[in-house]
Amino acid sequence: MAECNNGSGQGKLYVVGTGPGAKKHMTLAACAALEEADIIVGYQTYLDLIPEFLAGKEVVASQMMKEVDRSQKALELVAGGKKVAMVSGGDPGIYAMAGLVFEMAREHELSIDIEVIPGIAALNACAARLGAPLMHDFCAISLSDLLTPAALIEKRLEAAASADFVMVIYNPKSKRRTELIEKAREITLKYRSADTPVGIVTAATRDNEKVVLSTLDKFTGQEINMQSCVIIGNSKTFAWQDLLVTPRGYADKYRLKKD
Amino acid sequence: MAECNNGSGQGKLYVVGTGPGAKKHMTLAACAALEEADIIVGYQTYLDLIPEFLAGKEVVASQMMKEVDRSQKALELVAGGKKVAMVSGGDPGIYAMAGLVFEMAREHELSIDIEVIPGIAALNACAARLGAPLMHDFCAISLSDLLTPAALIEKRLEAAASADFVMVIYNPKSKRRTELIEKAREITLKYRSADTPVGIVTAATRDNEKVVLSTLDKFTGQEINMQSCVIIGNSKTFAWQDLLVTPRGYADKYRLKKD
């Protein structure tokens, strides 16, 4: 939605969040941008989730890890006067494609019209699937050490754990990187009890979705992968039925209502 | 989307996120839940944003600060077999209505079907309006001290600032409470430079929307109110044109592309 100056008055780049997976969690604005675009650019896995928007469009698909190529291609097409929708799973504004697009537009001194269409991010979707874990202050921390030093990740885990933030862990574990989630567990156990509720949501809202409730001492024994988001409760979070709920602090108020 | 056991097999409560304001940022699932519901329950200000969904429905409107009454009413209606949509601005799962509903259902030992429909939260919408400030680890911190001790809020500000999280400040300033945002500024200045970019988005996506870019030393001189969300950049965040961008760490990669 932020707009750069539009040099040509013609081309436009929509950076579109398509949400966690199921089409029903796309916004009306995201649907409209995909419909309006001449060309749709995206990572093949995300494009596979929205086949109905691709019919009759030029589609530029790319593989994972090709974010830079994809952004460059999208910017070139827009500079050439095209309306382009660059698809991002979740919310392009949260650990996703929006930043790279602006970085590259700045680097190449491009003056084009860019609009970010926010989407339901993994944290929104996973929280909904777990009940209501994010009713109070929380941190989002990615354990991916490809672009961030592990020491900084650990520092952030320590800060978040020590100040009783609910913690939303993105990219918790890859085939190669299996130790940082164990480290996150160890660090958090210094500050929170072993039975602190932890939720693991894998592939939220997709066909292969899996929701697991566990506890801080045991959760790393569960299946966790790069499609998972792990939410560690704060000191007040409780498990109820198959849910994770962090109270906002209304207890005294609603107890009055009970006769 | 989390479901409690459904005792009656009939009534159902949708806790529906209607997004930041403009209808276009509602999801298809939110629209469908409002259409399916027999009764729509909500705070009047949020209902005013979605008049097209209220036609022909029973509507139970309430004033602000009546969250407990509203939840109790919704739960009673569902227990009586109705399909009820309880409307929450933004995302009901982020500082909003979902938690209270589950807390009250537990307290009253209700066995009803509850589904949380996630929405575009203030943090998603404000980030999109500012460009891409949330490309790296971030914290959401509410400065409301009605239900949280100010000492805990300050502890969290300190932890977030010290570990270089991007900081999303909810409820930054009310008519009564004007000091905590100054405190947030002071605490963050201990760890970040005076020219750290700060974005202030007020009434995101609504008719009276206002987006302001400032810096850490000066931002509290801007208009900030309870409709505002303040985003404080981390040590890498830069301002470009009217945007706030936090790099994810691709710089070395995309520089290779420049000839």
Side-chain angles (χ1 to χ4, degrees), chain A residues 17-248:
Chain A
T18 52
K23 183 192 167 190
K24 67 180 182 175
H25 293 297
M26 285 177 65
T27 66
L28 301 174
C31 296
L34 292 177
E35 279 157 15
E36 191 190 326
D38 307 309
I39 304 173
I40 296 182
V41 176
Y43 168 37
Q44 188 65 54
T45 301
Y46 294 134
L47 295 178
D48 289 344
L49 293 168
I50 52 164
E52 60 272 55
F53 291 102
L54 306 183
K57 304 273 186 186
E58 187 179 336
V59 176
V60 180
S62 71
Q63 299 308 308
M64 197 157 70
M65 312 294 284
K66 294 287 186 188
E67 293 91 347
V68 174
D69 294 345
R70 213 183 303 156
S71 299
Q72 180 137 342
K73 182 71 183 173
L75 291 168
E76 283 167 8
L77 289 166
V78 175
K82 296 291 188 183
K83 284 189 182 167
V84 177
M86 191 164 73
V87 166
S88 184
D91 183 342
I94 295 185
Y95 293 119
M97 293 300 293
L100 182 59
V101 170
F102 288 119
E103 282 188 77
M104 291 181 70
R106 182 177 76 148
E107 185 78 5
H108 295 279
E109 295 173 357
L110 296 175
S111 183
I112 59 174
D113 188 1
I114 302 175
E115 181 174 339
V116 179
I117 312 275
I120 300 294
L123 67 87
N124 307 272
C126 296
R129 298 297 293 121
L130 287 166
L134 304 185
M135 289 296 108
H136 218 298
D137 304 330
F138 65 92
C139 291
I141 303 178
S142 167
L143 299 193
S144 173
D145 58 359
L146 289 177
L147 302 166
T148 307
L152 178 58
I153 297 172
E154 290 181 27
K155 182 178 181 181
R156 287 180 178 160
L157 289 166
E158 189 92 34
S162 70
D164 205 25
F165 281 98
V166 178
M167 294 157 73
V168 183
I169 310 285
Y170 272 72
N171 306 313
K173 191 176 177 182
S174 70
K175 282 180 187 161
R176 177 189 63 80
R177 176 177 42 75
T178 58
E179 286 308 308
L180 265 170
I181 190 70
E182 297 293 347
K183 194 82 192 173
R185 174 184 165 278
E186 276 169 40
I187 289 170
T188 313
L189 272 171
K190 292 199 286 177
Y191 301 95
R192 297 183 202 177
S193 68
D195 62 353
T196 301
V198 174
I200 303 163
V201 182
T202 302
T205 82
R206 300 187 192 177
D207 292 341
N208 57 331
E209 178 189 270
K210 198 173 165 193
V211 180
V212 174
L213 245 63
S214 185
T215 53
L216 185 54
D217 56 341
K218 300 203 180 80
F219 79 96
T220 55
Q222 299 288 337
E223 189 189 334
I224 298 175
N225 59 43
M226 288 297 275
Q227 283 196 292
S228 308
C229 194
V230 174
I231 300 188
I232 303 175
N234 70 14
S235 60
K236 303 278 175 59
T237 304
F238 60 84
W240 175 62
Q241 297 185 349
D242 58 347
L243 303 170
L244 209 66
V245 180
T246 302
R248 179 86 179 95

Side-chain angles (χ1 to χ4, degrees), chain B residues 143 157 169 179-189:
Chain B
L143 299 192
L157 289 166
I169 310 286
E179 287 309 307
L180 265 170
I181 190 71
E182 297 293 347
K183 194 82 192 172
R185 174 184 165 278
E186 276 168 41
I187 289 170
T188 312
L189 272 171

